[in-house]
Amino acid sequence: MKIDHIGYLVKNIEKARSSFAALGFLEITDMCRDEYRKVDIIFLEKDGYVVELVSPYAPDSVVADLLKKVKNMPYHFCYQVEDLAEESARLRKEGFVPIDDPKEAPALGRRRVCFLQSARIGMIELLEEGKE
Ligand code: NI
């Protein structure tokens, strides 16, 4: 499972973009609106680290409550997997609980993702790369 990116929750994505630019991050995608999760997303990269800025644009966004709680914070690592069902079944046995059904992610070329919660380490995301 390679790490794909680190998800970073921010209140104001425009201001966050300019702060990350000041730190030397380059933007590697255009801004994308995920209408299912009601978030705006843009991917940045520096020194091989890929950061996904995520910002809710509506009060009923899936991360609106989380943002209130944690403010501006990294909040998930995303791991590339070959088979979403297989890996989530394996991780379920290790104490990870799926918190949504696998869904296409518009910001990730419509590949399927799912989120799991661990009482020990918080939230993770799995991204299906597909079998070669
Ligand atoms: Ni992510």
Side-chain angles (χ1 to χ4, degrees), residues 5-7 43 52 54 75-78 108 115 125:
H5 63 263
I6 299 160
F43 285 88
E52 171 193 38
V54 180
Y75 74 111
H76 71 261
F77 278 53
C78 176
L108 288 162
F115 286 86
E125 177 181 26

Side-chain angles (χ1 to χ4, degrees), residues 3-120:
I3 292 175
D4 188 82
H5 63 263
I6 299 160
Y8 207 113
L9 195 58
V10 294
K11 191 177 164 90
N12 183 316
I13 203 161
E14 290 304 335
K15 289 180 179 169
R17 279 167 94 170
S18 81
S19 292
F20 275 105
L23 293 169
F25 280 81
L26 297 176
E27 301 188 350
I28 57 172
T29 64
D30 290 330
M31 187 94 80
C32 177
R33 181 153 278 198
D34 181 331
E35 290 181 350
Y36 164 66
R37 298 177 183 82
K38 301 197 178 173
V39 291
D40 289 321
I41 291 175
I42 188 167
F43 285 88
L44 318 170
E45 195 265 335
K46 176 177 165 60
D47 304 330
Y49 291 90
V50 176
V51 166
E52 171 193 38
L53 295 187
V54 180
S55 186
Y57 64 78
D60 58 341
S61 163
V62 291
V63 290
D65 286 344
L66 187 63
L67 180 66
K68 277 185 216 149
K69 237 188 287 175
V70 303
K71 313 289 182 200
N72 302 302
M73 285 268 267
Y75 74 111
H76 71 261
F77 278 53
C78 176
Y79 300 87
Q80 300 171 355
V81 301
E82 271 186 14
D83 187 311
L84 216 48
E86 208 174 275
E87 283 301 335
S88 35
R90 184 181 71 81
L91 289 169
R92 255 190 300 245
K93 291 183 205 143
E94 304 292 334
F96 290 84
V97 180
I99 52 177
D100 64 358
D101 292 326
K103 286 224 167 50
E104 284 182 355
L108 288 162
R110 310 217 70 90
R111 286 173 290 169
R112 293 196 314 150
V113 301
C114 76
F115 286 86
L116 296 91
Q117 185 76 30
S118 156
R120 298 173 184 168

